[in-house]
Amino acid sequence: MLLRFAARLFTTALTGALFVTMAAAARAEPSNELADIVERNVAGVLESVGGVAVAVRAQRRSWFFNYGLADRTRPIASDLVFNLGSVGKVFDATLLALADQRGELRLDDPVAKHVVELQHGGDVRTITLRQLASHTSGFVLPQDHPPWPKQAFTLPQFIAALNAWTSDRDHAPGKQMIYSHAGFVLIHLALERRFGMPFGELMRQRLLAPLGLASTTLPVASADVEANPRGELPRAFVRRAVQGYFYDGTPVGTPGDLQGYYRWLGTGQMYASPRDMAAFLTANLGKLPHQAELQEAMRRSQQGVIPIGEGVVQALAWEVRKGDEAIVEKYGGLDNATAFIALMPERGLGVVLLGNRGSMALSAAGHAVLRELARRRS
């Protein structure tokens, strides 16, 4: 059994370079039952290199559990920042739902209404914002699925690819779900055009600042645009960023590394701390005081759009697993990071797992934690 210390951060050595830390919110001590549930289900995904930060929403509180190493010297901690990968898309979906809720745009607007370069294109003109956010637009690029090509896009090249796109029976807008990161790049562009500001600033003003997420960021403009066209993390975030590792434990890039096929500002990945993700999770459960408007937008983004499998429905970025205990979730994975967020809205339960290694089985661990918590509370 791992050593536990209440109401303060602790570290203890395990097999070689593996460490575990745990911190409880609001000076409260997590029950042995809660700690056991998290520990038991996360232990199976840990390796000798890298680690996992866990935030759990239960018992009307947020609890934090940290396992492994952020790099060669630092243990994982709840105030470090992690690459969210595609988990960042649920933030995008909230922005989109909020704008629809305020009447500033409509989810069923053609994207060409806001990105005017597409108005003289072909089939792209029929694609709506809702279809982009629910992966039902039919638009997909080779860069969205393996085998991963090397070709990257400047903004003019991306617009050209959109205008050249033609739908067919297997890619008809609104007819099926095909995962498309390119679709969310286009959402960023549409929101920038609608509100006349960089996507990162729009995110900060409308979502991050109101929720107090001071440890969450998108890339900012780099002084060397040619070398870093998609921007870079602010220096304060780079100092707090974990090192990313390939699935075999090989370091990938440097802390704060940004990857992608799109070479302009507004397309880079989001970084966030486990503490900020706990607040975001709490808001998505509708439990954050004085944030009714944002929480309504979050609830709307969780509503299903199209069935994508037995008992699974695609929402705006989120996936909803139906059953006795519905789970709303999003997975994100890169070659040097893995992230997972899931909630049981009816139960007021949620979990976030952030890893600094590729191909970690965090969704299985997250499901197991949630379902076991639900059973214990039945």
Side-chain angles (χ1 to χ4, degrees):
M1 181 63 65
L2 300 178
L3 297 177
R4 298 193 183 92
F5 293 81
R8 64 185 177 89
L9 192 67
F10 76 87
T11 60
T12 183
L14 291 176
T15 60
L18 186 61
F19 290 79
V20 58
T21 67
M22 180 174 70
R27 297 182 179 275
E29 179 181 358
S31 66
N32 287 339
E33 180 182 64
L34 174 58
D36 286 343
I37 289 171
V38 176
E39 180 182 307
R40 184 176 351 100
N41 288 294
V42 173
V45 306
L46 296 173
E47 302 285 350
S48 59
V49 176
V52 179
V54 183
V56 175
R57 182 71 184 180
Q59 304 163 7
R60 299 182 181 180
R61 297 179 182 271
S62 295
W63 309 94
F64 301 92
F65 305 85
N66 300 308
Y67 305 89
L69 290 172
D71 51 35
R72 291 184 179 275
T73 60
R74 296 178 297 170
I76 294 289
S78 300
D79 293 317
L80 297 179
V81 295
F82 293 72
N83 192 327
L84 299 185
S86 285
V87 167
K89 290 180 173 64
V90 297
F91 287 78
D92 303 345
T94 301
L95 278 188
L96 195 61
L98 179 64
D100 175 83
Q101 186 174 302
R102 290 177 173 177
E104 296 164 329
L105 52 70
R106 293 299 177 201
L107 286 170
D108 292 319
D109 283 347
V111 67
K113 176 179 179 179
H114 304 288
V115 183
V116 296
E117 298 98 317
L118 305 180
Q119 292 178 359
H120 301 290
D123 293 344
V124 70
R125 291 179 298 171
T126 68
I127 292 174
T128 68
L129 296 171
R130 187 192 306 273
Q131 289 165 351
L132 291 171
S134 59
H135 300 293
T136 58
S137 70
F139 176 71
V140 66
L141 291 174
Q143 286 76 5
D144 288 319
H145 298 276
W148 308 108
K150 294 183 179 180
Q151 178 191 1
F153 293 88
T154 63
L155 179 54
Q157 290 169 335
F158 183 58
I159 294 294
L162 286 160
N163 280 325
W165 178 73
T166 56
S167 63
D168 57 34
R169 182 177 178 180
D170 296 324
H171 298 83
K175 299 300 183 182
Q176 69 282 298
M177 182 272 193
I178 306 174
Y179 193 90
S180 174
H181 180 67
F184 274 79
V185 172
L186 184 52
I187 288 173
H188 289 202
L189 188 59
L191 288 171
E192 285 187 337
R193 298 295 176 77
R194 169 60 185 84
F195 294 103
M197 70 175 70
F199 184 74
E201 181 60 18
L202 185 69
M203 179 69 75
R204 188 193 68 79
Q205 289 186 17
R206 294 191 155 219
L207 187 55
L208 304 185
L211 293 180
L213 305 185
S215 294
T216 303
T217 189
L218 284 161
V220 298
S222 172
D224 188 348
V225 176
E226 186 174 344
N228 301 300
R230 68 177 63 91
E232 60 190 13
L233 289 194
R235 289 185 180 180
F237 281 81
V238 173
R239 289 193 291 269
R240 295 168 55 196
V242 298
Q243 171 64 52
Y245 296 93
F246 198 49
Y247 74 92
D248 64 359
T250 305
V252 178
T254 58
D257 181 53
L258 297 172
Q259 301 181 14
Y261 290 104
Y262 304 96
R263 298 178 59 80
W264 68 90
L265 189 64
T267 64
Q269 290 119 24
M270 178 178 281
Y271 274 72
S273 73
R275 293 193 185 278
D276 272 15
M277 290 303 294
F280 181 71
L281 177 65
T282 302
N284 272 277
L285 286 166
K287 305 298 183 181
L288 204 62
H290 315 302
Q291 294 295 342
E293 184 185 37
L294 276 175
Q295 289 176 143
E296 173 60 15
M298 291 172 173
R299 186 194 66 79
R300 287 157 55 93
S301 74
Q302 297 167 19
Q303 303 308 299
V305 174
I306 188 172
I308 57 173
E310 186 175 353
V312 184
V313 179
Q314 179 68 52
L316 303 187
W318 297 95
E319 292 180 9
V320 183
R321 296 187 178 274
K322 302 292 187 178
D324 294 338
E325 300 287 351
I327 297 178
V328 181
E329 65 182 59
K330 184 71 182 84
Y331 171 87
L334 298 166
D335 63 2
N336 64 347
T338 311
F340 182 71
I341 181 171
L343 48 143
M344 286 183 171
E346 295 84 0
R347 294 275 191 160
L349 296 172
V351 64
V352 176
L353 299 96
L354 303 176
N356 63 333
R357 185 171 175 144
S359 302
M360 302 184 83
L362 298 189
S363 56
H367 286 152
V369 168
L370 276 186
R371 291 190 170 116
E372 193 164 347
L373 285 172
R375 285 197 302 271
R376 299 295 178 92
R377 294 181 62 184
S378 297

